[in-house]
Every structure is written in structure tokens, then in C-alpha cells.
Amino acid sequence: MLNNKFKNMKRLVVLFTALIIGSTMFSQKMITRSGEIKFDATVQGAMDEVIGTNKTVSAIFDKSSTELVVLALVKSFKFKSALMEEHFNENYMESDKLPKASFNGKILNYNGKAGSYDVEGDLTIHGFINKVKTKMAVAYSSEKLMISGAFNIKLSDYDIDVPALAKKTLSETAKISIKLVLENK
């Protein structure tokens, strides 16, 4: 009787281990916590660049549903100038009140192969949500999936005002560049 219980327990452990390994191997979700977003609102020809880079962006991509969720903490954007970073956080993004920016959407017609795909979804910045649609490149490297691309936004669509004094340096549109290197969860 005791020998039967031991055999059943052993089978249960083997089955449980196989399920865990199988679900990990065939997981459809890929993640990163070190993605990169670059925000460039430099006026063409201006002496000062208005470029912020965030290298601590989190993202999840579900290969089966093609859903892509990206989250960035606003205070994690770094600029060449500490004063520019302070203005970005306090005057424009109000990062104490609105600490996160996010994208929630899908890679359309994704077929599991490398290539250029349409990506569309909701972009939330400064508490405002707008639909965006852009092209993104998808590539593979060993066990990693890379998603990258860029698109432009109007700052006014996210209730970010450019004061008259800043218009020589700060553009009313910003180029958002994104680079994600995702791994199986």
C-alpha cells in the first residue's frame, strides 16, 4: 500500500514537472524590462536637442493573440541637460501626477515571421489616450524577438502645450522611437 502511494506520488511529481516545463517551452508570451523609447521633439535647425531616452521600458507580447503592451515610467527619461529633464517632468509631462505612459495594441497580420507589420492601438501619454497606427519591424535573434519602429505624435493631442518662449527649441510634434528585445516568459 505504501509502495503504491509512493508510485502515485512519483507519477504526480513527474506529471507536474512535465506540465511546468511544457508550458514554459511553449509559452506564447514574451517580455522585456529593458526596452528603449526615445522621445525627440527638437526643432529642426535648433542649437539645443530635445531628446530623452528611457532604457527601462517594460513590454509584453503575446504571440498567439498578437497583443503588445508597453509601459514606460515618465521620470525614467534621461536628457543631456538636467534642466531640460526637470522641465520635461515638471512643466510638460507632470510626471508626479501622471507617472506612466503606455501603449496597448496589436501587431496586425503577424504570422510568426520576421518582417514589417502594421501596429495599432491606444497610446496613453499625459493622461490622454489616442489611437496610433504605424509600421514596426519584427526580427528574430536566437531565442529573442526584436520589435522596433518610430512614429510621430502631436504634443497638443496629449494636452502638452509648447509655450511661445520654447518654440525655438521644442517642436509641437515629437518623434517616438521604440526598440524592444523580448524573451520567452
Side-chain angles (χ1 to χ4, degrees):
M1 179 125 164
L2 186 59
N3 198 13
N4 252 356
K5 283 186 178 181
F6 181 71
K7 283 183 183 179
N8 287 339
M9 183 69 118
K10 189 175 174 182
R11 286 182 190 144
L12 189 60
V13 168
V14 169
L15 179 64
F16 183 69
T17 304
L19 284 172
I20 289 175
I21 291 171
S23 68
T24 302
M25 286 176 56
F26 300 107
S27 174
Q28 295 295 307
K29 293 189 178 171
M30 302 187 82
I31 65 168
T32 186
R33 288 186 180 86
S34 59
E36 180 179 303
I37 294 177
K38 187 181 281 187
F39 170 91
D40 184 349
T42 306
V43 169
Q44 190 171 4
M47 292 186 65
D48 292 326
E49 290 182 335
V50 182
I51 298 174
T53 304
N54 183 336
K55 294 184 178 184
T56 60
V57 176
S58 296
I60 297 177
F61 175 60
D62 186 325
K63 292 186 281 187
S64 62
S65 68
T66 73
E67 288 184 71
L68 176 64
V69 177
V70 182
L71 177 68
L73 294 176
V74 176
K75 281 193 175 183
S76 294
F77 280 90
K78 302 300 175 201
F79 292 78
K80 285 182 182 178
S81 159
L83 182 61
M84 194 174 294
E85 192 170 314
E86 183 180 326
H87 284 300
F88 176 80
N89 282 299
E90 292 177 10
N91 301 344
Y92 300 108
M93 297 299 288
E94 301 175 278
S95 57
D96 285 335
K97 288 191 322 190
L98 304 159
K100 298 174 185 173
S102 65
F103 173 81
N104 190 345
K106 284 188 161 208
I107 298 179
L108 304 178
N109 302 313
Y110 177 71
N111 60 12
K113 296 179 182 174
S116 179
Y117 294 92
D118 287 325
V119 177
E120 76 176 12
D122 295 328
L123 179 63
T124 304
I125 298 175
H126 197 231
F128 288 81
I129 302 169
N130 287 288
K131 296 267 185 220
V132 295
K133 186 172 183 178
T134 189
K135 290 267 189 210
M136 292 275 181
V138 176
Y140 292 93
S141 171
S142 64
E143 298 294 315
K144 297 179 183 179
L145 176 74
M146 292 166 284
I147 301 173
S148 61
F151 56 95
N152 293 319
I153 62 166
K154 289 182 181 179
L155 298 182
S156 61
D157 288 347
Y158 298 91
D159 197 34
I160 301 169
D161 295 321
V162 178
L165 288 174
K167 288 190 181 200
K168 290 182 181 177
T169 308
L170 180 62
S171 175
E172 293 184 13
T173 62
K175 180 179 181 181
I176 308 293
S177 303
I178 187 165
K179 186 169 132 184
L180 306 170
V181 178
L182 301 119
E183 299 180 85
N184 284 323
K185 185 175 176 185

